Amino acid sequence: MKYVLISGASGDIGIEITRQILKETDFNVLAMYNKNPARIDELELEYKSRIQKYKCDFNSDEDVEEAKDFIKDFKLDSAIFCAGLSQIQMINKTNIEDISKIINVNLKAPIALSSQVADIMVKEKSGSIIYISSMWGLDGASCESVYSATKAGIIAFSKALSRELGPSNIRVNTICPGFIDTKMNSNLSAEDKEEFICQIPLMRAGMPSDIADLVLFLINKKAGYITGANIKVDGGYI
């Protein structure tokens, strides 16, 4: 039995991806999380032995190295990197510790784990790797400059990795969500949300299921000739 690795599996987007993969495929899931394990526990009750959770703090080099050792013996069909950290703050008010945390979660840890994922998949001569980036990795968001930089970085990394791993029949793609109705946007007032949505051509916020649906397609063999792609799911905002 092959597995799908999902980092950030307890987040709003990550848990929906986890749920849909368990529901729509016969893959087992390695659900990597740092907080909110209860959301994964609920899926464990429903899907029993098909899900295995693993705690990893992406701001701990030791945790990341241990996670690499943990996944090395699993046959991974796919890996989806969903973990993300954002902080809305002027750059001149952002300290080096906060900068490091955002870079670690959004860029450094996914790259480090990708080295182990790639090692597994190269041996199998098959695989799909997906990084959840952001529309701000394409356009840049005011007061989220560090976040935007990391999301742009993961797009560039994915593009390069697709060329590196393509000869081994491993596909690498990124997804750039737009305004998705998640806790990450809970800091916005109702008025700010309404104003933002009015600028989206489809006139609605995206849902975690909109991202999960695309993930399901990209890990499917029907997407077997898609690699090096960066796909916006933003309702036409950018």
Side-chain angles (χ1 to χ4, degrees):
M1 172 62 71
K2 286 195 173 182
Y3 287 77
V4 176
L5 170 67
I6 303 173
S7 78
S10 63
D12 288 339
I13 291 177
I15 198 68
E16 183 62 21
I17 291 171
T18 303
R19 181 181 294 109
Q20 291 300 326
I21 287 176
L22 289 167
K23 179 181 178 182
E24 302 293 340
T25 78
D26 59 358
F27 290 128
N28 286 351
V29 172
L30 298 179
M32 194 172 287
Y33 74 98
N34 186 33
K35 299 177 180 178
N36 303 319
R39 304 181 84 178
I40 302 173
D41 292 341
E42 291 176 4
L43 289 180
E44 272 190 310
L45 291 175
E46 184 175 358
Y47 292 97
K48 301 185 177 11
S49 61
R50 288 186 57 207
I51 183 170
Q52 183 170 345
K53 64 179 184 290
Y54 183 86
K55 188 178 188 306
C56 180
D57 181 357
F58 276 12
N59 266 297
S60 166
D61 288 347
E62 182 179 356
D63 271 21
V64 172
E65 286 300 314
E66 289 177 356
K68 288 171 63 178
D69 188 62
F70 170 74
I71 68 174
K72 69 180 182 181
D73 295 323
F74 289 93
K75 289 185 177 181
L76 298 178
D77 177 88
S78 303
I80 301 118
F81 292 93
C82 302
L85 179 64
S86 177
Q87 182 178 45
I88 298 177
Q89 195 170 51
M90 293 281 290
I91 190 61
N92 56 308
K93 302 294 185 180
T94 306
N95 60 45
I96 191 67
E97 182 179 357
D98 290 334
I99 292 171
S100 294
K101 286 180 179 180
I102 296 170
I103 291 174
N104 286 343
V105 172
N106 296 352
L107 192 60
K108 181 181 174 183
I111 290 175
L113 284 172
S114 293
S115 67
Q116 185 63 66
V117 169
D119 188 61
I120 294 167
M121 292 182 175
V122 166
K123 293 173 183 176
E124 296 292 319
K125 297 296 181 184
S126 177
S128 173
I129 304 173
I130 300 169
Y131 301 94
I132 305 300
S133 180
S134 167
M135 65 179 179
W136 300 133
L138 297 170
D139 204 37
S142 174
C143 296
E144 289 185 276
S145 54
V146 181
Y147 175 81
S148 298
T150 59
K151 291 302 185 178
I154 206 68
I155 293 170
F157 174 71
S158 174
K159 183 71 174 181
L161 194 62
S162 71
R163 292 171 173 167
E164 181 177 331
L165 299 181
S168 297
N169 193 36
I170 299 165
R171 298 180 297 107
V172 186
N173 297 288
T174 52
I175 296 173
C176 280
F179 186 85
I180 307 297
D181 190 10
T182 65
K183 291 179 181 177
M184 185 175 282
N185 293 315
S186 63
N187 60 296
L188 297 176
S189 66
E191 292 77 13
D192 286 341
K193 287 183 180 179
E194 184 177 353
E195 182 179 350
F196 198 113
I197 289 171
C198 285
Q199 300 175 59
I200 300 172
L202 289 182
M203 298 297 292
R204 71 171 177 88
M207 301 300 294
S209 59
D210 292 314
I211 309 303
D213 287 343
L214 179 54
V215 168
L216 283 174
F217 172 70
L218 288 175
I219 67 174
N220 193 283
K221 290 181 179 179
K222 291 181 179 180
Y225 202 55
I226 299 175
T227 193
N230 177 57
I231 304 173
K232 296 189 291 96
V233 186
D234 65 351
Y237 182 80
I238 293 179

